Amino acid sequence: MKSRLLFLGPPGAGKGTQAHLICKDSGLLHLSTGELLRDEVSAGTELGKEAELIMNKGELVSDLIVLSIVEKRLSKYDEGWLLDGFPRNLSQAKLLKDLLEKISQPIETVLLLNIDDQLLIKRMLSRGRKDDNEEVISNRLKIYRDQTSPLVDYYKNLGILQSVNGVGTVEDVNSRIKKVLN
Ligand code: B4P
């Protein structure tokens, strides 16, 4: 199986859910920037206090904060990883490219989870996280369209993008993903 992966898709598409399953089966390092930021918030660190205000509005935390979180973990790990929710804009994608060149670990596959807005909203409202209310969700979807979706073409042009239908049960989506990665 491919061992340097990136999961891309709109908020609520199931990136975290699927990344968790894939990493549990394969032993890859699961690196979710959303989770790592929420850990900083729960621990009450300075970084967490700064990030919480931004996340509660549905906006993106600064590129440098996110990069420093990722860099610390990736440079210590060379047995395969899955990046979930990072990068989220072109500037983060370029910072990541530089970092991966430095440690000679290029991405093998970018997996895009496709799903329509109505279902995303339904999933997020039933999850009920602090940043899952209608106003914040609509801002997160707008930010995805404006800032994150250009990454689809960016990775398509590099020839490493694969799309998977994210509609269906968790198990259905998981078996579609495994087919693509194996
Ligand atoms: P994330 O933690 O990345 O969360 P997400 O995109 O909202 O969700 P994900 O796609 O992982 O969906 P999930 O599996 O949970 O980001 C949160 C915030 O952190 C961002 O808004 C931003 O502020 C900040 N942030 C993170 N990374 C950043 C970065 N790189 N730069 C700047 N800021 C950053 O699934 C959603 C729900 O659907 C769950 O309840 C799940 O149980 C359910 N579900 C999943 N699959 C399903 C299925 N097949 N059927 C039914 N339900 C399903």
Side-chain angles (χ1 to χ4, degrees):
M1 197 178 101
K2 302 271 179 19
S3 62
R4 291 187 301 277
L5 311 172
L6 195 160
F7 277 12
L8 188 64
K15 302 180 294 292
T17 305
Q18 296 298 334
H20 172 74
L21 291 174
I22 295 292
C23 291
K24 198 171 75 170
D25 286 351
S26 61
L28 298 179
L29 172 72
H30 179 193
L31 226 162
S32 156
T33 44
E35 281 295 317
L36 293 169
L37 289 167
R38 282 187 288 280
D39 289 348
E40 296 283 343
V41 172
S42 316
T45 63
E46 280 311 307
L47 190 155
K49 285 180 199 151
E50 197 182 322
E52 187 175 24
L53 298 172
I54 302 167
M55 291 166 83
N56 286 345
K57 286 191 270 179
E59 284 164 15
L60 295 183
V61 175
S62 95
D63 296 344
L64 288 179
I65 289 185
V66 180
L67 186 82
S68 74
I69 289 183
V70 173
E71 186 164 16
K72 232 185 327 191
R73 286 162 178 88
L74 267 195
S75 18
K76 282 197 231 134
Y77 207 87
D78 57 7
E79 287 163 40
W81 35 257
L82 192 167
L83 294 175
D84 156 19
F86 173 82
R88 257 178 156 92
N89 57 30
L90 278 171
S91 136
Q92 290 183 7
K94 287 174 186 157
L95 290 167
L96 175 65
K97 186 166 176 285
D98 293 344
L99 166 65
L100 296 179
E101 271 169 13
K102 206 163 70 184
I103 59 175
S104 305
Q105 294 192 33
I107 299 168
E108 289 176 289
T109 299
V110 176
L111 193 131
L112 171 68
L113 270 180
N114 278 315
I115 180 164
D116 68 58
D117 282 8
Q118 285 317 102
L119 195 51
L120 293 173
I121 294 169
K122 198 170 148 223
R123 283 186 186 176
M124 282 189 272
L125 287 176
S126 54
R127 177 175 61 185
R129 215 167 57 194
K130 211 168 168 189
D131 55 343
D132 286 337
N133 61 66
E134 285 194 46
E135 192 188 335
V136 175
I137 289 173
S138 100
N139 196 29
R140 283 159 66 198
L141 289 171
K142 181 178 181 313
I143 287 180
Y144 177 78
R145 276 190 294 272
D146 294 349
Q147 299 193 38
T148 312
S149 67
L151 296 181
V152 173
D153 279 341
Y154 176 81
Y155 287 117
K156 206 184 272 174
N157 289 334
L158 294 176
I160 52 174
L161 187 90
Q162 300 264 13
S163 294
V164 165
N165 176 5
V167 183
T169 64
V170 170
E171 295 73 24
D172 288 342
V173 179
N174 188 245
S175 55
R176 284 179 209 138
I177 293 176
K178 282 183 173 158
K179 263 190 210 143
V180 167
L181 298 181
N182 276 320

